[in-house]
Amino acid sequence: ANGYLGGLLSKYSTAAAFDEQTIKPSVQVEHTQLLIDGKFVDAAAGKTFPTLDPRTGEVIAHVAEGHSEDVDRAVAAARKAFDLGPWPKLPAYERQKILLRAADLIEKHNDEIAALETWDNGKPYEQSAQIEIPMLVRLFRYYAGWADKIHGLTVPADGQYHVQTLHEPIGVAGQIIPWNFPLLMFAWKVGPALACGNTVVLKTAEQTPLSAFYVAKLFHEAGLPPGVLNIVSGFGPTAGAALASHMDVDKLAFTGSTDTGKVVLQLAAKSNLKPVTLELGGKSPFIVCEDADIDEAVELAHFALFFNQGQCCCAGSRTFVHERVHDEFVEKAKARALKRAVGDPFKSGTEQGPQV
């Protein structure tokens, strides 16, 4: 881990001059409709919303705006795919092969996916292309590997009894992801759910809906049956609330703010008491002791706070420094922050693009 982090830090340590000329991304936006039952379709009400280039505020594309009726359609497709379709009944090895094929396709289209992610989110293209999309591939290969290794237990019992636990897919998984790592959050939610044989309805963040559609299409190219993975773009109070409240969703997973997490938990409880997994915001502490290498501590603390424009659930947003090295640390930390290369995320050497 230290070698990886050290290489990453040195890679982005050189300041680059800001170039005011906006670089055109080398990718076309192909999919802006909802993905329901294996097909890209318009929202039931025909509404769209703009997704913006955070560099300029200009519209990248108009994306279908899902509401409760669209969530109903997506959940119905996922329910049908779970109850009647082949996915949960497939041998785990067959599910594994489809996930591995999807990972291969993502790897093949690494540069296009990275460009789409940077265009919609604002993170440096080098970060997307060299770190995050390869991590996406690795994550799906990891979860694929789990598909045929999920075992129950044979439990000792008193008397003439045979006690066995059996792990089965839970059903329709509702998933809501944020805008800071759109595809990595996609992988964390979709990967384990699919590996275990569940079906999915995923709501993208309204700021960053584009990359999920692209990758979901690759999953279908890899052989994923229709209705297993459904994507609804839209807003939290409408599409998100409808998904959290839905009576036919069996499990809910949410990553986002603490305040919204409270609402999601409340909606889940008031509906069918579906189990909920929450990953919410934090204020992670970074501690510098008096015997630390201050130059290294400054670089690590800088990375902990500013990586991904500081848009991390576990960003090192509180720094505790021993009083004996406090002044030296503050002086050097300020100097490092002033050197940070802010600019167009498509320009090589940019450390920090726009806030999404």
Side-chain angles (χ1 to χ4, degrees):
N2 287 337
Y4 165 79
L5 184 58
L8 183 65
L9 290 170
S10 62
K11 177 176 180 57
Y12 291 117
S13 63
T14 302
F18 178 69
D19 185 351
E20 294 186 1
Q21 183 178 358
T22 304
I23 298 172
K24 182 174 175 56
S26 57
V27 65
Q28 298 294 321
V29 178
E30 298 179 10
H31 306 293
T32 59
Q33 296 171 291
L34 312 179
L35 178 60
I36 297 177
D37 204 15
K39 298 184 180 70
F40 285 102
V41 297
D42 291 331
K47 288 187 175 182
T48 64
F49 66 95
T51 185
L52 306 179
D53 183 338
R55 301 174 299 170
T56 62
E58 295 175 354
V59 175
I60 300 173
H62 291 273
V63 179
E65 182 181 337
H67 285 259
S68 59
E69 184 177 346
D70 303 296
V71 171
D72 287 344
R73 289 194 293 162
V75 172
R79 173 56 59 196
K80 180 180 177 182
F82 184 80
D83 291 344
L84 304 176
W87 187 248
K89 304 175 186 66
L90 275 180
Y93 178 60
E94 296 301 319
R95 289 202 301 270
Q96 179 185 101
K97 289 197 296 184
I98 290 173
L99 292 177
L100 288 173
R101 283 199 295 270
D104 289 344
L105 287 170
I106 294 169
E107 188 171 52
K108 177 182 177 182
H109 294 280
N110 180 94
D111 293 352
E112 302 100 289
I113 299 170
L116 201 58
E117 192 83 326
T118 289
W119 196 8
D120 213 12
N121 169 275
K123 65 178 73 221
Y125 174 75
E126 291 174 345
Q127 177 184 322
S128 295
Q130 299 173 22
I131 301 170
E132 293 191 18
I133 307 308
M135 285 178 69
L136 183 72
V137 173
R138 183 172 178 176
L139 280 164
F140 279 120
R141 286 176 177 155
Y142 172 82
Y143 291 124
W146 267 108
D148 61 355
K149 301 172 187 67
I150 301 169
H151 309 298
L153 297 171
T154 303
V155 185
D158 295 337
Q160 298 300 309
Y161 300 103
H162 176 80
V163 181
Q164 178 183 350
T165 61
L166 176 66
H167 293 298
E168 297 179 310
I170 194 168
V172 177
Q175 305 177 339
I176 302 172
I177 59 173
W179 39 258
N180 55 346
F181 294 94
L183 282 178
L184 291 180
M185 295 296 173
F186 176 96
W188 288 7
K189 298 285 189 286
V190 169
L194 294 186
C196 293
N198 300 286
T199 59
V200 170
V201 177
L202 180 137
K203 190 198 88 67
T204 55
E206 58 268 27
Q207 299 89 345
T208 54
L210 298 176
S211 57
F213 290 133
Y214 191 113
V215 171
K217 180 178 182 292
L218 297 181
F219 268 84
H220 286 85
E221 288 182 18
L224 194 71
V228 174
L229 174 59
N230 306 274
I231 310 289
V232 176
S233 49
F235 295 86
T238 48
L243 189 58
S245 302
H246 207 287
M247 293 296 291
D248 216 15
V249 170
D250 299 302
K251 168 71 198 296
L252 194 64
F254 170 81
T255 298
S257 73
T258 302
D259 286 344
T260 305
K262 292 177 182 179
V263 175
V264 166
L265 196 60
Q266 185 179 53
L267 293 173
K270 285 184 174 180
S271 51
N272 58 345
L273 203 62
K274 59 180 74 64
V276 180
T277 303
L278 299 175
E279 183 200 5
L280 309 178
K283 297 291 291 181
S284 304
F286 189 94
I287 302 172
V288 182
C289 300
E290 62 177 317
D291 61 347
D293 180 327
I294 299 303
D295 291 335
E296 183 180 10
V298 164
E299 196 62 43
L300 291 170
H302 182 86
F303 176 84
L305 177 58
F306 289 106
F307 176 66
N308 202 54
Q309 289 74 256
Q311 299 165 154
C312 296
C313 301
C314 57
S317 50
R318 293 185 293 153
T319 305
F320 295 90
V321 184
H322 194 281
E323 60 185 354
R324 291 179 184 171
V325 294
H326 172 272
D327 291 349
E328 179 186 1
F329 180 91
V330 169
E331 181 182 352
K332 290 182 174 179
K334 176 183 176 181
R336 175 63 182 95
L338 290 172
K339 281 174 54 183
R340 187 165 183 82
V342 180
D344 191 319
F346 285 101
K347 181 177 180 180
S348 179
T350 294
E351 293 180 276
Q352 179 142 337
Q355 305 297 122
V356 64

